[in-house]
Amino acid sequence: MVKAVVGANWGDEGKGKITDMLAEKADIVVRFQGGANAGHTIVNNYGKFALHTLPSGVFYGHITSIIGNGVALNIPLLVEEIKSLTDRDVPKPKILVSDRCQIVMPYHILFDQYEEERLGGKSFGSTKSGIAPFYSDKYAKIGFQVSELFDEDVLKEKLARVCETKNVTLEHLYHKPILDPKELLATMRQYREMIEPYVCDVSSYLDQAIKDGKTVLLEGQLGTLKDPDHGIYPMVTSSSTLAAYGAIGAGIPPYEIKQIITVCKAYSSAVGAGAFVSEIFGDEADELRRRGGDGGEFGATTGRPRRMGWFDCVASKYGCRLQGTTDVAFTVLDVLGYLDEIPVCVGYEVDGQVTTDFPVSCKLEKAKPVLKKLPGWKCEIRGIKKYEELPENCRHYVEFIEEQIGHPITMVSNGPGRDDIIYRESPLKK
Ligand code: GDP
């Protein structure tokens, strides 16, 4: 049984917590896209951790954690991340890395920095982890697969060829030091040594696991609105954030994905530039940012303050639809307990017309939020385990949003911990 845990919005919806929670009853957790540019925050018995490459199940002894072929693999960072867990007494996790996974090269990170410098104020707000140059090279067919680390002849020939083209850009566009293929070869040898214990034919491993009836979780990074095709292009990430891509990025048949859990946060936050229709500013935003998530809404990787906004029904309805949602996990609801009234964005006004359909990027820039205020519940809801025990206004908030987005909210998260979850029967669940 394969389940995907993905985001409906701009990322940071709390996928890490939901994956970590579901991992208790799973066997395998797979990362299928993205790289070390975003992070998941997990709170458990060992403490609070920010994961960047490792899937969120790594804290359980029974879980096999897999880095699928769709991931941008930064080998030194992966090794460092594993060490950061074992240094804090987490038992050494069982990790497998696809032999078809491609490697983030040191020059990808440099190119990311140089390009941001060159673009100045017009930059895309990259985290400078090398992700965009990595995926550009992957599709330009000059990327390096993990398997290639084990063939020195291929490596030498390809490094020489790649350096030739990269050096023209380095010298003439960026005016930066050029690459030395010999130095890179030495780095690749180090990478080989670091990654060797984890390399595996992942799609074949998963094929067998599925036949054996194992439960596999596919863990997405970011959310629908950062998808390069369906998101707010060009302010998107470089690999697909959709559950459908989980099949490709893990190497399994699409029909094996039986449950798609789309994580939606009870308010909005976003990092980086791009249209954000329900965005709020000033003291209102500061207060929500300070109270948000678990210890404030600041980037898990970069520490950047996140942009804040009210819940956006238009973006979330679209986000859930594109994911192919079977279940919505509605998170961080506890944070809203301080508000007398809670505005929710129920439509976009574009050129004088109100719509509930998420527009293409050029129209999105012009969209203004249509807000509806719902009554707050003004109390702490952490610790509540039964849906019926939530305050009436709180249930009303959940049910109003469910109706607007048109997908069943079957889980409500009311705290950062594994046990802070309320299961709910939804009238929309088929
Ligand atoms: P992800 O990338 O989608 O996993 O999201 P992040 O980890 O960036 O952000 C989620 C943040 O919210 C983390 O700090 C979580 O510990 C926290 N969190 C998750 N669910 C809840 C919840 O229901 N309530 C509260 N207060 N915090 C939560």
Side-chain angles (χ1 to χ4, degrees), residues 208-225:
Q208 193 55 49
I210 293 168
K211 284 181 181 140
D212 292 344
K214 302 269 197 247
T215 299
V216 180
L217 299 180
L218 302 175
E219 181 182 26
Q221 185 204 39
L222 297 167
T224 305
L225 305 176

Side-chain angles (χ1 to χ4, degrees), residues 11-17 39-43 48 219 222 263 265 291-297 300 306 330-335 382 413-416 420:
D12 307 319
E13 298 94 347
K15 297 173 295 294
K17 178 238 157 104
H40 292 309
T41 316
I42 313 245
V43 181
K48 184 172 175 176
E219 181 182 26
L222 297 167
V263 186
K265 192 152 65 178
R291 292 174 177 268
D294 178 35
E297 290 283 358
R306 292 175 180 154
F330 195 58
T331 59
V332 210
L333 186 59
D334 51 304
V335 158
R382 277 203 199 180
S413 173
N414 58 338
D420 299 322

Side-chain angles (χ1 to χ4, degrees), residues 198-248:
Y198 309 110
V199 180
C200 169
D201 177 350
V202 160
S203 80
S204 156
Y205 179 90
L206 288 175
D207 179 52
Q208 193 55 49
I210 293 168
K211 284 181 181 140
D212 292 344
K214 302 269 197 247
T215 299
V216 180
L217 299 180
L218 302 175
E219 181 182 26
Q221 185 204 39
L222 297 167
T224 305
L225 305 176
K226 291 284 185 179
D227 183 80
D229 285 86
H230 297 284
I232 52 170
Y233 189 86
M235 302 303 180
V236 293
T237 194
S238 306
S239 61
S240 176
T241 56
L242 301 184
Y245 191 75
I248 298 160

Side-chain angles (χ1 to χ4, degrees), residues 24 190 238 251 373:
E24 192 177 355
Q190 287 170 358
S238 306
K373 283 185 180 162

Side-chain angles (χ1 to χ4, degrees), residues 179-349:
L179 304 171
D180 173 4
K182 282 205 192 79
E183 223 173 89
L184 276 172
L185 182 64
T187 307
M188 298 299 264
R189 286 182 181 138
Q190 287 170 358
Y191 284 6
R192 177 170 63 210
E193 222 167 275
M194 291 179 190
I195 206 68
E196 194 162 14
Y198 309 110
V199 180
C200 169
D201 177 350
V202 160
S203 80
S204 156
Y205 179 90
L206 288 175
D207 179 52
Q208 193 55 49
I210 293 168
K211 284 181 181 140
D212 292 344
K214 302 269 197 247
T215 299
V216 180
L217 299 180
L218 302 175
E219 181 182 26
Q221 185 204 39
L222 297 167
T224 305
L225 305 176
K226 291 284 185 179
D227 183 80
D229 285 86
H230 297 284
I232 52 170
Y233 189 86
M235 302 303 180
V236 293
T237 194
S238 306
S239 61
S240 176
T241 56
L242 301 184
Y245 191 75
I248 298 160
I252 59 166
Y255 54 76
E256 292 294 354
I257 307 175
K258 306 290 187 211
Q259 194 182 10
I260 297 172
I261 299 153
T262 304
V263 186
C264 245
K265 192 152 65 178
Y267 53 89
S268 301
S269 72
V271 281
F276 182 9
V277 178
S278 67
E279 185 165 13
I280 53 174
F281 303 92
D283 294 346
E284 204 180 30
D286 285 343
E287 175 146 39
L288 185 55
R289 184 180 301 111
R290 189 167 47 74
R291 292 174 177 268
D294 178 35
E297 290 283 358
F298 299 91
T301 301
T302 57
R304 288 191 287 193
R306 292 175 180 154
R307 297 164 68 193
M308 306 303 297
W310 301 124
F311 187 85
D312 185 335
C313 298
V314 179
S316 304
K317 180 178 78 163
Y318 174 82
C320 287
R321 174 164 65 81
L322 267 295
Q323 292 291 5
T325 305
T326 62
D327 295 84
V328 175
F330 195 58
T331 59
V332 210
L333 186 59
D334 51 304
V335 158
L336 298 181
Y338 72 99
L339 290 156
D340 293 324
E341 282 185 317
I342 313 174
V344 174
C345 174
V346 292
Y348 289 177
E349 196 190 309

